[in-house]
Short mmCIF file of all heavy atoms in Angstrom, two decimals:
data_model
loop_
_atom_site.label_atom_id
_atom_site.label_comp_id
_atom_site.label_asym_id
_atom_site.label_seq_id
_atom_site.Cartn_x
_atom_site.Cartn_y
_atom_site.Cartn_z
N PHE A 73 30.63 19.14 43.11
CA PHE A 73 30.01 20.03 44.11
C PHE A 73 28.57 20.27 43.77
O PHE A 73 28.06 19.87 42.72
CB PHE A 73 30.80 21.34 44.24
CG PHE A 73 30.72 22.24 43.03
CD1 PHE A 73 29.79 23.26 42.95
CD2 PHE A 73 31.59 22.03 41.97
CE1 PHE A 73 29.71 24.07 41.84
CE2 PHE A 73 31.55 22.88 40.85
CZ PHE A 73 30.62 23.90 40.78
N GLU A 74 27.88 20.96 44.67
CA GLU A 74 26.50 21.42 44.44
C GLU A 74 26.37 22.87 44.92
O GLU A 74 27.25 23.34 45.67
CB GLU A 74 25.51 20.54 45.23
CG GLU A 74 24.92 19.41 44.43
CD GLU A 74 24.28 19.86 43.12
OE1 GLU A 74 23.63 20.91 43.12
OE2 GLU A 74 24.45 19.17 42.12
N GLY A 75 25.29 23.50 44.53
CA GLY A 75 24.98 24.84 45.02
C GLY A 75 23.53 24.90 45.30
O GLY A 75 22.70 24.57 44.44
N ASN A 94 19.19 18.46 44.23
CA ASN A 94 20.63 18.65 44.40
C ASN A 94 21.28 17.36 44.93
O ASN A 94 22.40 17.02 44.55
CB ASN A 94 20.91 19.79 45.40
CG ASN A 94 20.32 21.09 44.91
OD1 ASN A 94 19.19 21.43 45.26
ND2 ASN A 94 21.05 21.81 44.08
N ARG A 97 21.57 15.02 42.12
CA ARG A 97 22.56 15.46 41.12
C ARG A 97 23.98 15.32 41.60
O ARG A 97 24.86 14.97 40.82
CB ARG A 97 22.26 16.90 40.72
CG ARG A 97 23.02 17.35 39.52
CD ARG A 97 22.54 18.67 38.99
NE ARG A 97 22.74 19.75 39.96
CZ ARG A 97 22.21 20.96 39.83
NH1 ARG A 97 21.41 21.26 38.84
NH2 ARG A 97 22.47 21.88 40.74
N ARG A 186 33.10 24.45 26.57
CA ARG A 186 32.92 24.09 27.97
C ARG A 186 32.87 22.59 28.17
O ARG A 186 33.32 22.07 29.19
CB ARG A 186 31.60 24.72 28.50
CG ARG A 186 31.42 24.68 29.97
CD ARG A 186 30.03 25.08 30.39
NE ARG A 186 29.12 23.97 30.31
CZ ARG A 186 28.93 23.05 31.28
NH1 ARG A 186 29.61 23.17 32.43
NH2 ARG A 186 28.12 22.03 31.11
N GLY A 193 30.19 17.50 31.03
CA GLY A 193 29.44 18.77 31.04
C GLY A 193 28.18 18.70 31.87
O GLY A 193 27.77 19.69 32.46
N ALA A 195 27.83 17.07 34.57
CA ALA A 195 28.15 16.88 36.01
C ALA A 195 28.63 18.22 36.57
O ALA A 195 29.19 19.03 35.84
CB ALA A 195 29.24 15.83 36.16
N LYS A 196 28.37 18.42 37.87
CA LYS A 196 28.99 19.60 38.49
C LYS A 196 30.38 19.20 38.99
O LYS A 196 30.64 19.01 40.16
CB LYS A 196 28.14 20.11 39.63
CG LYS A 196 27.06 21.08 39.16
CD LYS A 196 26.28 21.71 40.28
CE LYS A 196 26.47 23.22 40.36
NZ LYS A 196 25.79 23.94 39.24
N TYR A 201 34.61 24.20 35.84
CA TYR A 201 34.71 25.63 36.17
C TYR A 201 36.12 26.13 35.92
O TYR A 201 36.32 27.18 35.33
CB TYR A 201 34.25 25.86 37.62
CG TYR A 201 32.75 25.83 37.72
CD1 TYR A 201 32.01 24.68 37.40
CD2 TYR A 201 32.03 26.98 38.08
CE1 TYR A 201 30.65 24.68 37.48
CE2 TYR A 201 30.64 26.99 38.13
CZ TYR A 201 29.95 25.81 37.82
OH TYR A 201 28.59 25.81 37.88
N GLN A 204 36.87 27.07 32.51
CA GLN A 204 36.17 28.23 31.94
C GLN A 204 36.86 29.54 32.29
O GLN A 204 36.55 30.56 31.62
CB GLN A 204 34.74 28.32 32.50
CG GLN A 204 33.80 27.33 31.88
CD GLN A 204 32.33 27.67 32.27
OE1 GLN A 204 31.85 28.79 32.13
NE2 GLN A 204 31.63 26.70 32.78
N GLU A 232 24.84 26.88 26.94
CA GLU A 232 24.71 27.39 28.33
C GLU A 232 25.30 28.79 28.38
O GLU A 232 26.13 29.18 27.52
CB GLU A 232 25.46 26.51 29.32
CG GLU A 232 24.83 25.13 29.47
CD GLU A 232 24.98 24.60 30.89
OE1 GLU A 232 24.57 25.26 31.86
OE2 GLU A 232 25.48 23.48 31.00
N GLY A 234 27.70 30.86 30.57
CA GLY A 234 28.63 30.82 31.68
C GLY A 234 28.35 29.59 32.50
O GLY A 234 28.45 28.44 32.00
N THR A 235 27.99 29.76 33.75
CA THR A 235 27.67 28.64 34.61
C THR A 235 26.17 28.55 34.84
O THR A 235 25.72 28.11 35.90
CB THR A 235 28.38 28.77 35.96
OG1 THR A 235 27.98 30.02 36.55
CG2 THR A 235 29.88 28.78 35.79
N MET A 236 25.42 29.00 33.85
CA MET A 236 23.96 28.95 33.97
C MET A 236 23.34 28.30 32.74
O MET A 236 23.98 28.30 31.67
CB MET A 236 23.43 30.39 34.11
CG MET A 236 23.79 31.08 35.40
SD MET A 236 23.14 32.76 35.48
CE MET A 236 24.33 33.57 34.45
N ASN A 237 22.11 27.84 32.87
CA ASN A 237 21.37 27.46 31.69
C ASN A 237 20.87 28.72 30.99
O ASN A 237 20.91 29.81 31.57
CB ASN A 237 20.20 26.56 32.08
CG ASN A 237 20.68 25.24 32.66
OD1 ASN A 237 20.45 24.94 33.84
ND2 ASN A 237 21.31 24.40 31.84
N LEU A 256 24.20 20.95 31.74
CA LEU A 256 23.80 20.66 33.11
C LEU A 256 22.30 20.78 33.28
O LEU A 256 21.69 21.73 32.80
CB LEU A 256 24.55 21.57 34.07
CG LEU A 256 24.38 21.08 35.49
CD1 LEU A 256 25.69 20.67 36.08
CD2 LEU A 256 23.64 22.02 36.34
N ASP A 257 21.71 19.81 33.94
CA ASP A 257 20.28 19.78 34.17
C ASP A 257 19.94 20.64 35.38
O ASP A 257 19.83 20.17 36.51
CB ASP A 257 19.88 18.32 34.40
CG ASP A 257 18.36 18.13 34.52
OD1 ASP A 257 17.60 19.10 34.32
OD2 ASP A 257 17.95 16.98 34.83
N GLY A 258 19.79 21.93 35.14
CA GLY A 258 19.60 22.91 36.23
C GLY A 258 18.23 22.84 36.86
O GLY A 258 17.22 22.66 36.22
N VAL A 259 18.22 22.96 38.19
CA VAL A 259 16.96 22.97 38.94
C VAL A 259 16.19 24.25 38.60
O VAL A 259 14.94 24.22 38.46
CB VAL A 259 17.23 22.89 40.48
CG1 VAL A 259 15.92 22.91 41.24
CG2 VAL A 259 18.06 21.65 40.78
N THR A 260 16.87 25.36 38.47
CA THR A 260 16.20 26.62 38.16
C THR A 260 15.59 26.52 36.75
O THR A 260 14.45 26.92 36.54
CB THR A 260 17.21 27.79 38.22
OG1 THR A 260 18.03 27.64 39.38
CG2 THR A 260 16.49 29.13 38.32
N ARG A 261 16.36 25.96 35.81
CA ARG A 261 15.86 25.77 34.46
C ARG A 261 14.55 24.98 34.45
O ARG A 261 13.54 25.42 33.86
CB ARG A 261 16.91 25.07 33.63
CG ARG A 261 16.44 24.65 32.22
CD ARG A 261 17.53 23.82 31.50
NE ARG A 261 17.08 23.30 30.23
CZ ARG A 261 16.32 22.20 30.09
NH1 ARG A 261 15.95 21.53 31.17
NH2 ARG A 261 15.93 21.80 28.91
N THR A 300 19.86 31.10 33.91
CA THR A 300 19.21 30.66 35.13
C THR A 300 20.11 29.73 35.94
O THR A 300 20.78 28.86 35.40
CB THR A 300 17.90 29.89 34.83
OG1 THR A 300 18.20 28.68 34.14
CG2 THR A 300 16.97 30.75 33.98
N GLY A 301 20.13 29.98 37.25
CA GLY A 301 20.95 29.13 38.12
C GLY A 301 20.64 29.55 39.58
O GLY A 301 20.16 30.64 39.81
N THR A 302 21.01 28.68 40.52
CA THR A 302 20.72 28.92 41.91
C THR A 302 21.32 30.25 42.42
O THR A 302 20.69 30.97 43.15
CB THR A 302 21.24 27.75 42.75
OG1 THR A 302 20.51 26.60 42.36
CG2 THR A 302 21.06 27.98 44.24
N ALA A 303 22.59 30.52 42.01
CA ALA A 303 23.28 31.67 42.56
C ALA A 303 22.56 32.98 42.19
O ALA A 303 22.22 33.76 43.04
CB ALA A 303 24.72 31.71 42.08
C1 LIG B 1 25.00 24.68 38.58
C2 LIG B 1 24.93 24.94 37.11
C3 LIG B 1 23.75 25.40 36.48
C4 LIG B 1 22.51 25.80 37.24
O1 LIG B 1 21.90 24.78 37.94
P1 LIG B 1 20.87 25.11 39.09
O2 LIG B 1 20.44 23.79 39.57
O3 LIG B 1 19.76 25.86 38.45
O4 LIG B 1 21.59 25.93 40.12
C5 LIG B 1 23.75 25.54 35.09
N1 LIG B 1 24.86 25.24 34.37
C6 LIG B 1 25.98 24.81 34.95
C7 LIG B 1 27.14 24.54 34.07
C8 LIG B 1 26.06 24.66 36.32
O5 LIG B 1 27.19 24.21 36.88
#
Side-chain angles (χ1 to χ4, degrees):
F73 68 95
E74 266 306 320
N94 301 92
R97 192 169 65 191
R186 192 190 84 85
K196 273 185 117 71
Y201 282 63
Q204 283 191 53
E232 293 213 55
T235 58
M236 292 179 282
N237 294 115
L256 193 116
D257 185 5
V259 180
T260 318
R261 173 186 174 278
T300 66
T302 296

